[in-house]
Amino acid sequence: MKTLFAGAGLCALMLCLPAQAETLADLGRATLAPAQERPLDDLLGPLDAAALPPLSVPGISLDPGAPPEAADWGDFDLDLAQSSATPVDSPPAPAPAANANDSGITPADPPADWIWFDMQDSRIALPPGWKTMEEKDGARAVFVGDASVPRGQLISVALDDVSGTTIDGLLDDLEDEGGSLQARGDITLGDEVLDWADVTMDMGGIPAQMRVYMTRSLLGEDAEPINMAFGAVGGADPVDPAIRDTVLASLRLGKVHQAEPAAPPTMATGTGAEQVKTLFGTLVTVTLPAGWSGIATHESGDYSAPGGALRVRFLYGDPATKELAGLAPGASAIPTWQGNAPAQEYGLNGTELTVWDNCPEPGMPLVMLLSGPAGFQNGLEYREILTRLQITMPKAAAPCGAPPPQTSEPQQQAAAPGAPVATPQPPAPPAPDPAAAAWGEDVFETDASGYTLYRNARHGVSISYPGTYFQADPPPANGDGRSFRSVDGQASFYVFAQYDALDLGLDGMRAEDRASLAPLYYDQPEQGAYQMAGARDGKTVIRRVIRDLDGLTRTFEISYPPERESEFSAVVAHMAGSFGPPPDLTPQTMAVPQPPQTAAVPQPPAQAPRPITQPPAATPPRPASPGVGMTDAPVGALYTPQRGSAERSAIMDAARVPIVPAIGQHVIFVVDVLNSDGHWAYLQATPVNADGTPLNWLRTNYASDWAADAMSDVVMVLLRRDGAGWQAIDWIVGPTDVAWLEWVPRYMLPVRLFQP
């Protein structure tokens, strides 16, 4: 809806009162569109304030020399019955219904002489004696004071969503116009909640202050909030709180807009379900947590959490271009990967701005803005939105600013009359699932009771769960396990297995898990296992861990709303009891090799010496089978290159060659293990940001695996030095087992190269 608030922000709410208005005619002309302009000077003449008696309260009056009936005030919607040749004082303040700074306001009828204003099927009462400065469909602003300065008080109301559907969007616009937030909060009005904020601003040398209110409910045909502003300009006193509270108490909301109904839960009723929204055709698919609301158009989508604590906006085309134009010159971006598409991320004040590298159409960029309070990136809803975001770029998409891509296919010529038409060929079959190809297919077996037995193909971890309520996510690339989500979006669980790569032991892992739960309800250790319960991110969490003697560790964790404990108690007990297999605590026995009765001394071969291996032209690919290209790999005395040495720097630089593009951003390494004999080197490290701060894996190419707890934060790199310098021979990001165990036979290397 385009209303008098179409400019958004403080200037729009205050009607942009002109700083140079010298007469009431100037002020009136400023509120009219050019096509409506009228010769008000001819009708009224200039307003001579010196000829008027002093006012105890600033008011508005007409020129005493002009009779009311001589002026056509229809365009201003001024009530002539309330106009006079003498100043109109502000009306006495009625008794307030409640103080807006307290816990709430009780709806109440206004005094009989107050004027009702309708906003579709909602309505609100405004005080008499205030002059209507502008009125459009669903919006009105009234003013009392000296318009020639201007100095006075203003009240505006509007059914409008031009700044979004939450007060955060309005405050963003206010700050863009130079406004300064002084305070904010919320109050109740009957069953409705109003968000409010106090803002100050300098408008062309005229000080202004205001309090704005916004309904959390969306109303009317277009699902918009009601905005209310009580402002003072030119140093005038704020609007009397009694008048303000009486206006608020008179608000009568119409029918609240109902979002499209969510699918009913299969297992039990809850407090809401997640919503899947598709924007700009099929370009963006975003999954919103339960309780979120918002609105979408052909070039924008704006959604927020209840109360506006977290907000996500998508902009496409012109709105995205305008947003990017506001970036500071030289602003630095972090390469990232969001929604399965490459992008650049800018960290702004309280906002993350992501712009995708490719434009779906020439000159039509796609932008996402995530904003919230300090630390919002650590919240569960933030992670869920990013990990489940899907960007589907069309085939014609090209880097923004680049010319449209030229197809490599020859242009089809029109077929000659009677010529045969080629039969369209079916598309190539999709590539096989890499996890399935490497480890085989996971098994899902459903019994007559509706429970499903899941068995992991790689490690054999298994669990029985209600298959009608939980649905499995796609498998991770490493095939270590699966995550599952409930059909109503309120519960989730995962199971996986990995080797204890950091050698924490069962006690070390248990200590880390205890620290992740607050409060901790119970902690029950067992032989080769433990189970604990607690709270995290507002959910009840049950976690069970089983560790074999060889370090293979199986983990099951489920989270659900605490208010549904009675529903989940028996289900979780069954799932935890079925989780397995149980720990294998049998020591591995190996036969002790015996020396031969006669040990012949090996003699050197008679043939010519083995030629020296030549350096590769580029980083060699990973060998397809053990020992390809190298039948022996003797390793000398091991040492750790010193910090600051040229050798250590060269090893780190070589390790970054595969790791940086894999992660998607520049990193440095916090070294856990670094062994070298001058020819071979092994690096085990934790990648961090260039400034030493921890890496946010949700902003990397591994965001989905990290969110599913299907990886570690470790990298392992095997390097070799030859005539071309240090080269990465093999590497892995986020291993969940002792990955280097496979490198020992593959490259014929001793175990001691990899050990701390």
Side-chain angles (χ1 to χ4, degrees):
M1 175 183 295
K2 298 299 182 183
T3 71
L4 73 166
F5 302 94
L10 183 60
C11 179
L13 289 170
M14 301 296 288
L15 294 180
C16 295
L17 296 177
Q20 304 299 323
E22 297 180 353
T23 69
L24 182 60
D26 292 331
L27 182 61
R29 186 179 294 108
T31 66
L32 288 175
Q36 297 175 298
E37 187 169 317
R38 299 178 59 86
L40 298 180
D41 286 328
D42 295 339
L43 292 173
L44 299 178
L47 179 65
D48 186 1
L52 299 177
L55 302 176
S56 57
V57 178
I60 295 179
S61 66
L62 304 180
D63 185 347
E69 59 271 21
D72 179 6
W73 286 89
D75 289 334
F76 289 92
D77 195 29
L78 290 178
D79 186 355
L80 290 179
Q82 298 177 13
S83 302
S84 65
T86 57
V88 178
D89 291 339
S90 179
N99 191 314
N101 286 324
D102 293 336
S103 59
I105 295 178
T106 302
D109 292 331
D113 59 341
W114 280 46
I115 302 166
W116 284 100
F117 175 65
D118 293 330
M119 298 168 286
Q120 296 187 24
D121 59 350
S122 300
R123 62 187 334 217
I124 197 169
L126 299 173
W130 292 54
K131 302 307 177 184
T132 300
M133 300 309 298
E134 187 167 357
E135 180 178 344
K136 295 184 180 179
D137 183 25
R140 175 182 283 185
V142 297
F143 180 81
V144 62
D146 185 353
S148 65
V149 177
R151 182 178 184 273
Q153 302 158 339
L154 179 140
I155 301 175
S156 62
V157 295
L159 179 64
D160 193 292
D161 68 348
V162 73
S163 290
T165 57
T166 69
I167 200 168
D168 292 295
L170 177 60
L171 293 178
D172 288 344
D173 288 339
L174 293 176
E175 292 178 358
D176 290 343
E177 296 172 16
S180 176
L181 177 64
Q182 303 299 310
R184 63 179 297 176
D186 58 65
I187 59 169
T188 57
L189 174 61
D191 295 331
E192 176 62 16
V193 178
L194 304 179
D195 292 305
W196 62 266
D198 288 334
V199 180
T200 61
M201 188 174 181
D202 186 292
M203 298 195 313
I206 300 175
Q209 57 180 324
M210 65 188 306
R211 171 168 287 192
V212 296
Y213 293 86
M214 182 180 288
T215 61
R216 291 187 183 175
S217 295
L218 304 181
L219 306 130
E221 299 174 354
D222 298 321
E224 299 167 306
I226 292 178
N227 302 279
M228 296 156 284
F230 301 84
V233 296
D237 292 334
V239 175
D240 189 325
I243 293 178
R244 180 195 66 202
D245 292 354
T246 302
V247 173
L248 295 174
S250 73
L251 179 61
R252 302 291 184 266
L253 299 183
K255 184 179 179 180
V256 175
H257 176 78
Q258 300 294 327
E260 59 266 31
T266 303
M267 180 177 178
T269 58
T271 58
E274 63 184 20
Q275 309 165 64
V276 178
K277 302 291 184 181
T278 303
L279 305 174
F280 322 131
T282 59
L283 183 59
V284 176
T285 303
V286 57
T287 302
L288 302 174
W292 279 51
S293 61
I295 195 167
T297 69
H298 69 283
E299 57 184 14
S300 69
D302 191 339
Y303 305 100
S304 59
L310 183 61
R311 180 186 183 194
V312 59
R313 288 182 288 164
F314 294 92
L315 306 177
Y316 180 48
D318 289 343
T321 300
K322 293 177 182 177
E323 187 69 34
L324 294 173
L327 290 174
S332 60
I334 298 174
T336 185
W337 193 274
Q338 296 290 13
N340 296 323
Q344 304 293 317
E345 181 182 297
Y346 296 85
L348 308 178
N349 185 19
T351 300
E352 285 185 358
L353 184 152
T354 300
V355 54
W356 275 267
D357 292 352
N358 291 334
C359 282
E361 302 175 70
M364 300 283 282
L366 176 63
V367 165
M368 175 180 67
L369 297 109
L370 274 162
S371 58
F376 71 91
Q377 298 95 333
N378 298 322
L380 178 62
E381 290 185 337
Y382 168 85
R383 297 197 299 270
E384 287 184 348
I385 288 174
L386 289 186
T387 56
R388 305 183 73 181
L389 177 66
Q390 181 65 45
I391 303 298
T392 306
M393 288 286 179
K395 292 183 178 179
C400 293
Q406 300 296 322
T407 176
S408 59
E409 299 177 358
Q411 296 291 327
Q412 283 191 338
Q413 302 294 327
V421 178
T423 304
Q425 297 300 309
D433 186 329
W439 319 112
E441 295 281 355
D442 288 348
V443 177
F444 296 85
E445 298 175 348
T446 302
D447 60 23
S449 67
Y451 271 70
T452 298
L453 177 66
Y454 163 73
R455 184 178 295 107
N456 173 253
R458 180 178 183 185
H459 293 296
V461 61
S462 60
I463 193 169
S464 175
Y465 66 95
T468 57
Y469 183 63
F470 287 105
Q471 296 178 344
D473 288 337
N478 61 13
D480 280 353
R482 284 288 182 110
S483 59
F484 301 76
R485 296 176 184 270
S486 66
V487 295
D488 59 8
Q490 295 197 7
S492 62
F493 77 91
Y494 58 76
V495 293
F496 70 93
Q498 65 180 18
Y499 279 94
D500 184 7
L502 302 181
D503 198 25
L504 295 176
L506 201 62
D507 290 340
M509 291 186 288
R510 182 175 160 218
E512 284 192 348
D513 288 347
R514 286 175 60 95
S516 72
L517 300 175
L520 180 68
Y521 300 147
Y522 70 80
D523 177 11
Q524 179 181 340
E526 307 169 19
Q527 186 177 16
Y530 62 84
Q531 184 166 314
M532 61 181 60
R536 186 193 306 130
D537 295 329
K539 296 286 186 73
T540 295
V541 175
I542 310 294
R543 185 175 178 91
R544 181 168 178 79
V545 176
I546 300 172
R547 187 182 189 275
D548 292 346
L549 197 63
D550 65 355
L552 182 64
T553 304
R554 295 176 288 283
T555 301
F556 158 59
E557 180 176 299
I558 184 170
S559 61
Y560 55 88
E563 60 270 16
R564 299 181 65 182
E565 177 66 34
S566 60
E567 301 174 63
F568 278 91
S569 178
V571 174
V572 173
H574 168 83
M575 294 174 67
S578 70
F579 177 60
D584 181 1
L585 304 180
T586 304
Q588 300 294 321
T589 58
M590 297 181 63
V592 179
Q594 300 298 317
Q597 293 184 358
T598 59
V601 178
Q603 299 300 310
Q607 63 266 30
R610 183 173 50 197
I612 299 175
T613 305
Q614 296 301 308
T619 302
R622 300 183 182 187
S625 60
V628 173
M630 53 190 80
T631 59
D632 189 15
V635 173
L638 297 177
Y639 60 92
T640 298
Q642 294 296 316
R643 291 179 178 272
S645 66
E647 182 182 16
R648 188 179 178 113
S649 297
I651 291 174
M652 298 301 158
D653 290 342
R656 271 188 285 268
V657 170
I659 298 299
V660 166
I663 292 177
Q665 64 185 69
H666 183 73
V667 296
I668 61 175
F669 298 121
V670 176
V671 176
D672 299 320
V673 179
L674 178 58
N675 293 330
S676 175
D677 71 340
H679 179 65
W680 288 93
Y682 169 68
L683 171 67
Q684 180 174 312
T686 302
V688 297
N689 294 315
D691 60 0
T693 58
L695 192 65
N696 186 346
W697 287 93
L698 293 174
R699 303 181 191 177
T700 71
N701 298 340
Y702 293 85
S704 59
D705 285 345
W706 183 262
D709 203 11
M711 63 177 291
S712 67
D713 62 351
V714 172
V715 298
M716 299 177 180
V717 186
L718 178 64
L719 307 100
R720 186 182 61 178
R721 185 168 69 177
D722 48 32
W726 286 103
Q727 303 281 345
I729 300 299
D730 216 331
W731 54 272
I732 187 171
V733 176
T736 56
D737 53 16
V738 187
W740 56 259
L741 287 175
E742 299 178 2
W743 298 346
V744 171
R746 178 180 297 174
Y747 301 103
M748 307 295 289
L749 293 169
V751 171
R752 61 189 178 90
L753 174 65
F754 304 94
Q755 293 178 327

